[in-house]
Structure formats: C-alpha cells, structure tokens
Amino acid sequence: MNARFLPAAPAGKAALALAAALLAVACLLPGAARAQALTLSYANFPPAPTFPCVQMERWAQEVRARTQGKVEIQTYPGSTLLGAKNMWSGVIQGQADIGCISMAYQPGVFPMMSVFEQPLGFSSATAASMALWELYAARRPEEFARVKVLTLFASAPSNIMCKEPVTSLAQLKGMELRASGGASLALEILGATPVSMPASETPEALQKGLIKGVLSSFDWLKDFNFAEHLKYQTVTNLVVYPFAVIMNLDKWNALPDDVKAVFDGLSAEQAEWTGRYLDAHVRESLDWAREKHGIEVIELPRAELDKAEAELAVMIDAWKERAEAKGVPADAVLAEVRALRQKHDK
Ligand code: 3IO
C-alpha cells in the first residue's frame, strides 16, 4: 500500500514462518506423547458437580497416576456423550468406552443386583457401596456378562425433598414425587404417586411443575441446587440407588495386562472412596441448605417409620419372585447382602 509498510513485509513473513515452525514443534511434542497414551472415553449422565461425576474425576486421576500417564481418561459429564437412558446400550455398542449407570433406570435388567434397590435398611452410602462391590465380586452375576464392571457404588439412603412439608405418611397420598426403580415402587406402596425419571431429567420436571419433590439422597439439595425450591426435607432413610461403572468388553479385552491390573486394583477402593465421599457430602449439603436456604428438616415419629418399614416388606418378596424367575438364588443372595450390611453398617 505505501512504503512505510514495505520493510515490515519480509519481517512479517519471517515471524510467520517462525510461528509456524514453533507451532509444528509444539504440536509434534504432545502428539508424540499422545501416540503412546491410550485414551478412553468415560460418559456420565448427571451434571459435573454431582457425586457420580466427582467419583469419575477421582478415578480418572488415579488411573493417570497409576499408569504413569500411559492411560488418559477423557470424561464427559452431564450427558454430553451418552444420557441416562442410552448409557447401558451405548457402552455395550462402544459409543463410549466407559459409562456410569444407575441400575434403577433399567427395571428387569439386573435381577440379582437390584436386590440393592430393596428396603434392606442400609444406613450409609459407604456400607451399601462396599456391600454392593463385595456381592458382585463374590457372585459375578450373568446380568453383567456383556460388559466389564470397573466399580460399583450406591447413593446414600433416600429422603423426601419437597415443596410442601410432609409430616406424616398420610400426606403422601396422591403426591407426585420423582423417583426411579425400587424407590418408585416404595413411594407407590406408601400411597404417593411416583413419577419415574432419571436424575438428569428432574430439574426440568420440577420447573414445569410435574412433580412436588423427589425421593433421593440429600446431596441433591446442593448439587442440583434443589434447596432453593424444595424447602421441606422429610427424613425417611428409604432405599439406596445402586450404580455401576461399566466398560465396553472389546475395549477391556484389548487393554494391556498392566493396565487391566490397575483398573482391577481400583474397583473395591473406588467403591469405598465414593461411599465415604458421598456420606460426608450429604452432611455438607444439608448444612449448606440450612444456612443458605433455611430449609426445614422433618423427622417422622417412630411409629410412622415402623409403619413404612412394615408396608415396604412386600417389596422384598416381590424381588425374590422376580429374581428366582430369572434363575437367581434369591434367598442365598438376600442372606449374603444382609450379612454384608451387618459387616459394614455399624
Ligand atoms: C443421584 C443420581 C445422579 C446424581 C446425583 C445423585 N444422588 C443420588 C442419586 C440417585 C438417584 O436419585 C438416581 O436417580 O440414581
């Protein structure tokens, strides 16, 4: 254009060439490192701050450390790769290498492990998670034969988080509450109107006024910010929700033995870590909700809790019938889970 810019042109070209060279080197270096690293995708359905995603990041971090960077885990929280409903089939088909499922979303698919959706009286996520892993490890049920199970864990016992105070079982009559699987069945038996959906669909249902509240563990108050709209918490300590972290079988089979050993070495430890994290986080979440949103925590009278427990006993018989129909030795499994509960639930 004019002479003032002419001398700048060659310098600009040289700078550009230098930048290109630097870029090439910068790309090559991590490129070379990456070529040696094995990257696996890990899909999760709920939002990143929730405990299934917190445990996912912890597991990914441990895998990186224990494989000295040989394995990189690319995490996808918040249904960005697979959602709650297509997680199971998506991992089997290989759309994600690893995925996290809530067993309650697939009724009938887990005839043995769904024993953990029954009202067995677990009082913590830690005890339920450890028992879940130990039952699985001892029995290796057929229902998980199409995947590799990396770890298992459970939510904390479930409680009612509601727009209205629930101070007696009678008040549940006809009340629309979100739950899933065993928790939905429990609500139905207690007279409520369960609306079954995955956790990840619940904020929208609440916003649309389709439900009055939810039955799940109290971590929801903080992690889904439900304390803002659901001011009344009724302590019921009902069922837990069991989860499984599953891996595509072909991807698993193709892993080097040392990597397999790292994954297998993490299974029981990860179950316990997740349970302990969640139990502590439930307490934090309640404290936060009290301070920030002034929630009310309602304790039901002992007689009401006993009545609920007595009514829910039919769930266990119904589970036994369904399990036996699919060839599960239901009585032996139940006895084993109860022994595991005694061992872990102090
Ligand atoms: C759960 C599910 C996703 C995110 C956080 C959570 N805390 C407790 C649960 C269990 C539950 O309600 C479910 O649907 O699996």
Side-chain angles (χ1 to χ4, degrees), residues 45-46 50-52 102 105 155 178 199 216-217 219-220 224 241 243:
F45 63 93
T50 62
F51 90 93
S102 173
Y105 304 170
S155 76
R178 173 275 162 186
S216 188
S217 47
D219 48 300
W220 282 57
F224 284 95
Y241 287 80
F243 290 73

Side-chain angles (χ1 to χ4, degrees), residues 188-205:
E188 195 175 326
I189 291 167
L190 297 177
T193 301
V195 185
S196 294
M197 70 186 79
S200 38
E201 290 172 16
T202 311
E204 198 183 325

Side-chain angles (χ1 to χ4, degrees), residues 110-255:
F110 309 109
M112 186 190 293
M113 298 308 279
S114 58
V115 68
F116 281 92
E117 291 176 51
Q118 311 314 314
L120 299 175
F122 278 100
S123 69
S124 72
T126 308
S129 297
M130 292 170 80
L132 194 55
W133 176 258
E134 285 172 31
L135 180 78
Y136 176 78
R139 295 198 171 253
R140 303 276 161 183
E142 179 63 27
E143 62 213 44
F144 278 106
R146 288 152 78 201
V147 295
K148 166 69 184 179
V149 176
L150 294 176
T151 192
L152 297 159
F153 51 81
S155 76
S158 51
N159 297 296
I160 298 168
M161 295 160 255
C162 195
K163 286 182 184 171
E164 300 166 10
V166 176
T167 57
S168 70
L169 293 176
Q171 275 173 305
L172 288 176
K173 187 110 203 106
M175 185 180 272
E176 285 105 349
L177 295 172
R178 173 275 162 186
S180 213
S184 286
L185 198 55
L187 283 176
E188 195 175 326
I189 291 167
L190 297 177
T193 301
V195 185
S196 294
M197 70 186 79
S200 38
E201 290 172 16
T202 311
E204 198 183 325
L206 192 67
Q207 206 165 26
K208 287 185 178 161
L210 299 177
I211 50 173
K212 285 250 162 60
V214 303
L215 178 66
S216 188
S217 47
F218 279 142
D219 48 300
W220 282 57
L221 293 174
K222 186 162 193 239
D223 300 340
F224 284 95
N225 199 31
F226 275 8
E228 193 181 344
H229 303 290
L230 307 179
K231 298 281 188 204
Y232 300 97
Q233 323 309 330
T234 300
V235 179
T236 51
N237 285 323
L238 289 176
V239 297
V240 300
Y241 287 80
F243 290 73
V245 178
I246 53 169
M247 181 169 180
N248 177 276
L249 207 50
D250 292 336
K251 279 289 177 131
W252 166 259
N253 288 331
L255 288 179

